[in-house]
Amino acid sequence: NKLRWDTYLKQLDILSPDATPGQLRDLTRNINILSGRATITGISGNKLAFMNGLFFSPRFVWSRIQAPTLLIRQALAEGADTPAGRQLTRMVARDMLGYMSGVLGMLYVGKASGVIDVELDPRSSDWGKAKYGDIRIDPWAGLQQPMRALAQSLTGERKQMGTGKIQDVTVPDVISTFV
């Protein structure tokens, strides 16, 4: 919580002084989503406690689904054309691209050095994972799965793990596998 609060205060200092209350809410929403603490609209208290019993960390899972669309949402938000709105969009872009660059850089160095292998086909469930022998390491913190589901939905294809065969797949199939 302290890290999120400190991040909020730092971003607030950078944000334009004419930021609206809506833009301040966007800032807190962005920080919560990117730190894995998304708000599930309409669910709180006992309902959220019940969901915690059914699923592992539902707010974290929901944040991983929201994160890939966060930059687009922020760029299209009300007031996005104001100085504060443009600053919020830059903040989200910087945070997301910084994270992606770090993970991709680590994977590239590992693959180039021959220490690990990395699957480069986004239709595969092993996409973007570091493979060391039979060990698979997912450095994406839950962001790989929604991106892979999107790639499979757009291409209509799935790559079979092990055989490497490409198989046709429908969007409902992808959604049911993802869920």
Side-chain angles (χ1 to χ4, degrees):
N1 284 336
K2 180 169 178 9
L3 178 61
R4 285 200 333 263
W5 178 248
D6 290 346
T7 301
Y8 174 77
L9 292 177
K10 181 180 176 188
Q11 301 289 8
L12 192 59
D13 284 343
I14 297 170
L15 200 58
S16 173
D18 62 341
T20 66
Q23 290 167 329
L24 296 176
R25 276 191 302 276
D26 287 348
L27 174 61
T28 57
R29 183 197 68 224
N30 296 346
I31 291 170
N32 285 337
I33 289 172
L34 293 175
S35 64
R37 302 280 296 169
T39 300
I40 303 175
T41 306
I43 299 177
S44 62
N46 290 337
K47 291 178 185 176
L48 191 55
F50 178 74
M51 284 185 68
N52 269 327
L54 290 177
F55 306 104
F56 175 76
S57 190
R59 290 175 63 183
F60 178 77
V61 171
W62 187 242
S63 76
R64 302 298 90 177
I65 293 168
Q66 288 178 320
T69 64
L70 187 57
L71 184 58
I72 295 167
R73 268 179 66 179
Q74 189 58 57
L76 298 176
E78 184 177 334
D81 58 343
T82 66
R86 287 190 293 275
Q87 184 62 33
L88 279 169
T89 303
R90 282 193 296 272
M91 288 175 181
V92 171
R94 183 195 64 228
D95 291 345
M96 292 182 76
L97 292 174
Y99 177 74
M100 290 172 51
S101 298
V103 171
L104 291 172
M106 177 198 65
L107 291 172
Y108 176 78
V109 168
K111 185 173 177 75
S113 68
V115 174
I116 60 171
D117 190 27
V118 179
E119 173 63 62
L120 301 176
D121 188 341
R123 299 172 297 179
S124 170
S125 60
D126 268 349
W127 170 66
K129 293 180 182 173
K131 293 186 283 185
Y132 181 75
D134 290 338
I135 300 170
R136 284 165 172 69
I137 301 166
D138 182 0
W140 293 102
L143 293 172
Q144 182 257 13
Q145 291 82 4
M147 298 306 289
R148 179 180 44 98
L150 178 63
Q152 289 177 352
S153 296
L154 291 174
T155 63
E157 298 174 333
R158 173 183 296 147
K159 185 176 181 180
Q160 289 291 325
M161 202 166 110
T163 65
K165 282 179 49 179
I166 303 299
Q167 160 186 40
D168 289 339
V169 66
T170 65
V171 172
D173 290 337
V174 172
I175 292 171
S176 68
T177 302
F178 178 76
V179 172

